Amino acid sequence: EIIDDTIFGTEFVFDDNEYKTKLTGNHQIENTVNAVRCANVLRISKEAVKQGVFNTRMIARMEIIGTNPLISVMVVIMRAVQRLYATF
């Protein structure tokens, strides 16, 4: 069950536990639930799993770097530009 879903992350309930993640998108909830299931099999504590889920970041195509005003950067393009300038 999704509690809250914004550009800053997602809160959801799985197996009677509430999780908060900085990742966005329904596919990330599915990925997180699968990771939680694996952690349960490995008998990792719920608190450690919740902390790990919350601290997980994935710098991919876009990352929010500021909130007032909202600033998002297409990281892939920024890295390509940095590599381009490094060649001169």
Side-chain angles (χ1 to χ4, degrees):
E1 168 191 356
I2 297 174
I3 298 170
D4 192 25
D5 187 16
T6 70
I7 61 172
F8 301 106
T10 307
E11 284 183 62
F12 64 97
V13 174
F14 171 70
D15 200 22
D16 295 326
N17 289 287
E18 187 175 315
Y19 295 92
K20 295 179 184 179
T21 178
K22 296 172 188 168
L23 305 178
T24 60
N26 287 342
H27 65 291
Q28 296 297 357
I29 295 172
E30 292 175 31
N31 293 339
T32 302
V33 165
N34 287 327
V36 170
R37 286 180 175 138
C38 291
N40 289 343
V41 169
L42 296 171
R43 299 178 191 252
I44 299 172
S45 76
K46 297 281 185 203
E47 288 308 311
V49 172
K50 287 181 180 184
Q51 191 67 37
V53 166
F54 181 74
N55 288 329
T56 299
R57 290 182 58 216
M58 183 175 62
I59 300 172
R61 290 187 165 82
M62 192 170 84
E63 181 179 5
I64 295 170
I65 60 171
T67 58
N68 192 7
L70 179 63
I71 302 169
S72 62
V73 174
M74 294 184 70
V75 177
V76 172
I77 293 172
M78 294 297 290
R79 289 185 180 154
V81 169
Q82 287 173 340
R83 284 193 292 269
L84 178 64
Y85 278 112
T87 62
F88 292 105

